[in-house]
């Protein structure tokens, strides 16, 4: 999942501001990627006002047999021309054989900074990944993210 990113310092400032998201009531199939489901939504501030340009996209990747391969939870900033720039992303990969140093090994992005996962979070469950993502982005979800069949 390649994306342009904003500078790390700008990303950290956006991440620190409290925000709330309202996930869709169900996961939807991604029209451009087979075996992928998505939940995307905008965010509001503490007073309920829309935060212009901020969007959350949560994507779950599955192998053809339905086994979950991984997920990427991303906070994007949309620029004036509609281009998406990554603010923060948590990408967890459950593919067999993935090792530290591999391009697809679990990692996170804070703006243009990429951080490889350590053993404490390289294989997070979807729920634990959601908690980490929300804590790192100062994001609360209301209603909660709908449950999906992980396996």
């Amino acid at each position: 999942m390649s994306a342009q990113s904003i500078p790390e310092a700008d990303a950290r400032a956006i991440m620190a501001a409290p925000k709330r998201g309202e996930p869709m009531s169900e996961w939807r199939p991604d029209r451009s990627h087979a075996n992928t489901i998505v939940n995307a939504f905008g965010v509001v501030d503490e007073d309920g006002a829309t935060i212009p340009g901020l969007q959350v996209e949560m994507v779950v990747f599955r192998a053809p047999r339905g086994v979950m391969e991984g997920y990427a939870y991303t906070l994007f900033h949309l620029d004036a021309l509609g281009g998406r720039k990554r603010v923060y992303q948590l990408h967890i990969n459950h593919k067999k054989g993935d090792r530290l140093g591999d391009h697809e090994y679990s990692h996170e992005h804070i703006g243009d900074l990429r951080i490889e996962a350590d053993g404490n979070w390289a294989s997070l469950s979807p729920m634990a990944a959601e908690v980490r993502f929300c804590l790192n982005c100062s994001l609360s979800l209301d209603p909660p993210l709908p449950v999906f069949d992980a396996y």
Side-chain angles (χ1 to χ4, degrees), residues 71-73 88-94 100 104-110 113-133 136:
Y71 25 94
Y73 299 159
Y88 175 72
Q89 181 179 70
L90 178 63
H91 187 168
I92 303 296
N93 195 340
H94 292 286
L100 186 65
E104 287 297 313
Y105 188 78
S106 296
H107 61 279
E108 64 185 347
H109 293 272
I110 300 173
L113 174 67
R114 183 180 194 275
I115 303 165
E116 298 246 350
D118 64 32
N120 294 320
W121 59 272
S123 297
L124 291 176
S125 70
M127 186 174 289
E130 175 189 337
V131 169
R132 182 182 178 93
F133 176 82
N136 287 347

Side-chain angles (χ1 to χ4, degrees), residues 27 35-38 58-62 68 70-73 148:
W27 291 83
N35 304 312
T36 301
I37 56 174
V38 178
M58 298 179 147
V59 180
V60 176
F61 312 101
R62 299 171 187 242
M68 185 176 47
Y71 25 94
Y73 299 159
F148 61 89

Side-chain angles (χ1 to χ4, degrees), residues 131-150:
V131 169
R132 182 182 178 93
F133 176 82
C134 288
L135 284 173
N136 287 347
C137 287
S138 305
L139 174 69
S140 62
L141 300 179
D142 184 26
L145 193 63
V147 175
F148 61 89
D149 180 19

Side-chain angles (χ1 to χ4, degrees), residues 16-125:
K19 57 193 83 54
R20 182 171 50 86
E22 298 178 4
M24 296 184 302
S25 61
E26 62 185 49
W27 291 83
R28 307 250 164 87
D30 185 331
R31 294 180 186 168
S32 58
H33 297 94
N35 304 312
T36 301
I37 56 174
V38 178
N39 198 314
F41 49 92
V43 296
V44 297
D45 65 17
E46 292 178 300
D47 297 323
T50 299
I51 302 175
L54 287 188
Q55 179 183 36
V56 173
E57 181 179 77
M58 298 179 147
V59 180
V60 176
F61 312 101
R62 299 171 187 242
R65 292 186 208 143
V67 176
M68 185 176 47
E69 288 187 349
Y71 25 94
Y73 299 159
T74 310
L75 175 64
F76 286 107
H77 182 268
L78 303 161
D79 65 24
L81 300 175
R84 296 189 324 169
K85 293 194 176 181
R86 182 177 47 217
V87 175
Y88 175 72
Q89 181 179 70
L90 178 63
H91 187 168
I92 303 296
N93 195 340
H94 292 286
K95 290 180 183 172
K96 293 187 187 303
D98 237 6
R99 297 181 315 272
L100 186 65
D102 290 347
H103 178 71
E104 287 297 313
Y105 188 78
S106 296
H107 61 279
E108 64 185 347
H109 293 272
I110 300 173
D112 53 13
L113 174 67
R114 183 180 194 275
I115 303 165
E116 298 246 350
D118 64 32
N120 294 320
W121 59 272
S123 297
L124 291 176
S125 70

